[in-house]
Amino acid sequence: MLVDLLLINIVVFFVFEKVHQSLQFHAYISIFWLITSVITNYYKVYRFTNVYRLLKLTVVQALFFILGFFAYFGIFKEGEIVNTQFKTLVITLGSLALIKVAFFILQKKIRQSGSNFKRVIFFEKDDTAKKMIKLFQNKSSLGYSYLGFFSSKISEDTNYLGNEEDFYGYLKVEKVDEVYATLSHLKKSQLKKLTKYSSLHNITLKLIPDSKEFYSKSRNVEFYDETLKVLSVKKLPFDLPENKIIKRAFDIIFSSFVCLFIISWLYPILWVLIKLESKGPAIFKQEREGFNGEEFVCYKFRSMRMNNQADKIHATKNDSRVTKIGSFLRKTSLDEIPQFFNVLLGSMSVVGPRPHLESLAIEYQKDVDNYLERHAVKPGITGLAQISGYRGEIKKKSDIKNRVRLDIFYIENWSFMLDVKIVVSTVLSIFKGDENAY
């Protein structure tokens, strides 16, 4: 991607007419290329991708690029004569196509030489799995190193590595990149366990279907050749680096805006009001559980009188510890605003599961089996659970179970627009108020 962007800008700089060049045009053409490449899946080229698929991606991306290129002049330079458009497009698209093919061929050659291999094992084995193993062994250019297979049936095959119990022990000791599992031999409980284990240990899980296999939205169909079909278990949104970049960029831009245009004048006012009503610092610091369960210092405007129970007990309705200004801050969620500094520092995100106290988190883990999955992302100032009515005091087990359920749904179904929706809903709730905020 970086090579392509560099090439596009070099060609435009040296070939295109200087009179029509500008920082605006370079930025436009670069951003347009990035956006369209995501839409067309231009960079999603895998080991099993064939030449025809590669050419299709190149042609579709080229058509988008041509439309975007001419659209710029239709919008910003209407009526102007541009003499080198055709020449610039031919050189740019020709160079990009050559680089695409060259990278593709180079990777094949590197794999044929014995480098850049994916280490794979099979869980159970049927006729389709045997064909795949044969394909991996015969076509070294695909770049797969077959280590062996596991099965509940004892086999005299030299590649037999053991049963299901041996399988998980093997994964703990040996480096494995991909696991291919035969669906016709898997029970639901085995599939569930395998999917969870693969996700937690960053192992790619591929499912080999039978002819009647149901294809759900959580699986991609991949063709390794004309006859071999595999179901790839889709990665979670935050497993993709581009989504992490988008989310972090949003966090920095949004929190910078809040710090500059809201906290800059709101902080002095609230500092005075908090200090006038009760003794103690205006900013309350508290250790909370964050990304991967690591603790961090969470900032809030102090809403209670100084007490030794703040790190042990959540605020309850009509809590005597809460001050008058504190009550207002909690109802409007303004007490959370200093956490935008946490976002800028990188310990929190604008949207995500709310961070809990370690002492309370230990109790929650006893009630909710998949509680720790919340730690897969940074905690947030607001979240899906909060806008869905699950905030404030936890009165019964179902409260924390529902919060965790919504937190995990958010992690598994994240999108940029979902973050925007949650932020908008949070802002609206500040003006409407929330009966659970006290």
Side-chain angles (χ1 to χ4, degrees):
M1 187 184 288
L2 291 173
V3 170
D4 287 347
L5 285 174
L6 183 63
L7 179 63
I8 290 167
N9 284 280
I10 288 173
V11 173
V12 169
F13 183 79
F14 287 104
V15 179
F16 203 48
E17 289 176 285
K18 297 295 181 184
V19 69
H20 295 295
Q21 287 192 34
S22 65
L23 182 61
Q24 181 190 44
F25 180 66
H26 280 274
Y28 167 85
I29 208 69
S30 298
I31 293 169
F32 187 85
W33 175 269
L34 287 172
I35 292 171
T36 52
S37 66
V38 172
I39 294 170
T40 62
N41 294 322
Y42 183 69
Y43 292 105
K44 290 192 175 181
V45 178
Y46 306 102
R47 294 165 184 268
F48 50 83
T49 300
N50 56 46
V51 177
Y52 301 107
R53 166 72 177 165
L54 190 77
L55 292 174
K56 180 184 175 183
L57 288 171
T58 304
V59 170
V60 172
Q61 180 66 6
L63 291 173
F64 270 104
F65 186 75
I66 291 168
L67 288 172
F69 188 86
F70 285 116
Y72 176 84
F73 296 98
I75 297 169
F76 300 106
K77 305 285 183 179
E78 188 177 2
E80 293 187 23
I81 297 173
V82 185
N83 296 316
T84 54
Q85 281 182 327
F86 182 74
K87 184 180 178 181
T88 303
L89 278 172
V90 169
I91 294 174
T92 302
L93 296 175
S95 303
L96 289 168
L98 283 173
I99 284 179
K100 186 81 166 174
V101 174
F103 264 89
F104 185 75
I105 294 171
L106 182 62
Q107 285 180 321
K108 293 284 185 185
K109 293 293 183 183
I110 289 171
R111 288 165 190 153
Q112 282 179 332
S113 68
S115 302
N116 191 228
F117 268 70
K118 291 272 189 185
R119 294 165 59 87
V120 303
I121 58 174
F122 282 71
F123 188 77
E124 299 295 352
K125 190 167 74 167
D126 62 2
D127 291 338
T128 306
K130 290 175 184 176
K131 289 179 183 177
M132 290 201 69
I133 292 167
K134 189 175 180 181
L135 179 71
F136 291 166
Q137 292 174 329
N138 294 338
K139 289 190 74 172
S140 58
S141 61
L142 287 174
Y144 289 97
S145 176
Y146 170 59
L147 303 177
F149 73 96
F150 291 83
S151 176
S152 55
K153 295 180 181 178
I154 297 174
S155 173
E156 295 182 359
D157 192 314
T158 54
N159 293 313
Y160 176 69
L161 298 173
N163 56 27
E164 185 178 350
E165 291 182 7
D166 300 322
F167 172 77
Y168 289 103
Y170 184 89
L171 290 178
K172 291 177 182 177
V173 177
E174 299 291 334
K175 183 185 183 303
V176 175
D177 298 302
E178 295 183 358
V179 173
Y180 289 78
T182 305
L183 281 171
S184 58
H185 293 273
L186 280 179
K187 296 176 183 176
K188 283 186 178 180
S189 58
Q190 289 178 309
L191 179 58
K192 186 177 179 181
K193 182 180 179 182
L194 186 56
T195 302
K196 187 174 182 179
Y197 187 92
S198 301
S199 177
L200 290 173
H201 293 83
N202 199 29
I203 298 171
T204 302
L205 175 62
K206 301 290 183 80
L207 304 175
I208 304 172
D210 54 34
S211 58
K212 297 178 182 178
E213 173 57 27
F214 170 72
Y215 305 141
S216 72
K217 289 183 178 180
S218 63
R219 299 169 189 170
N220 285 323
V221 182
E222 298 171 345
F223 290 88
Y224 279 59
D225 66 8
E226 292 78 7
T227 58
L228 287 176
K229 184 165 51 180
V230 173
L231 298 180
S232 175
V233 178
K234 284 186 180 178
K235 290 187 175 182
L236 295 175
F238 292 115
D239 289 335
L240 303 175
E242 57 264 34
N243 288 340
K244 291 180 181 178
I245 293 169
I246 291 168
K247 187 167 177 63
R248 183 60 184 153
F250 173 74
D251 283 345
I252 292 171
I253 294 168
F254 189 81
S255 54
S256 296
F257 176 85
V258 173
C259 290
L260 287 171
F261 297 103
I262 299 177
I263 295 180
S264 58
W265 59 266
L266 185 63
Y267 180 88
I269 297 170
L270 293 179
W271 186 90
V272 172
L273 293 173
I274 292 168
K275 297 285 281 185
L276 282 174
E277 188 175 4
S278 61
K279 293 180 180 180
I283 297 293
F284 177 67
K285 300 176 183 179
Q286 191 174 56
E287 289 194 346
R288 299 281 184 100
E289 282 194 330
F291 181 60
N292 285 334
E294 295 178 5
E295 288 195 345
F296 71 99
V297 178
C298 181
Y299 303 120
K300 295 181 72 173
F301 278 123
R302 183 170 58 83
S303 59
M304 293 183 177
R305 294 178 180 83
M306 298 300 291
N307 66 93
N308 56 11
Q309 295 294 310
D311 293 331
K312 301 175 183 178
I313 303 172
H314 275 307
T316 57
K317 198 165 187 177
N318 301 318
D319 198 316
S320 59
R321 297 174 298 167
V322 178
T323 62
K324 290 180 181 179
I325 183 63
S327 178
F328 169 76
L329 293 175
R330 297 178 79 91
K331 284 179 180 178
T332 56
S333 298
L334 289 176
D335 61 323
E336 311 285 358
I337 273 192
Q339 286 165 31
F340 282 102
F341 291 118
N342 284 116
V343 175
L344 285 176
L345 292 169
S347 55
M348 288 183 71
S349 179
V350 174
V351 182
R354 285 295 295 158
H356 293 148
L357 292 167
E358 185 183 15
S359 57
L360 296 173
I362 293 170
E363 293 299 317
Y364 298 154
Q365 288 175 42
K366 297 175 183 177
D367 298 328
V368 188
D369 293 335
N370 52 356
Y371 177 84
L372 292 177
E373 291 182 29
R374 301 170 75 254
H375 294 158
V377 298
K378 291 179 183 178
I381 297 174
T382 184
L384 184 60
Q386 282 63 47
I387 67 165
S388 301
Y390 295 101
R391 59 166 297 181
E393 185 183 3
I394 294 172
K395 299 176 181 177
K396 48 187 183 294
K397 288 183 180 180
S398 61
D399 290 339
I400 187 61
K401 286 182 179 179
N402 283 319
R403 289 188 195 194
V404 172
R405 174 177 59 81
L406 288 166
D407 288 338
I408 293 172
F409 177 89
Y410 169 79
I411 293 168
E412 294 178 347
N413 297 275
W414 176 88
S415 70
F416 175 70
M417 290 312 298
L418 179 58
D419 269 8
V420 172
K421 179 184 176 182
I422 291 171
V423 169
V424 171
S425 297
T426 302
V427 173
L428 292 174
S429 70
I430 291 174
F431 296 102
K432 291 191 297 184
D434 190 329
E435 62 178 13
N436 292 322
Y438 47 79

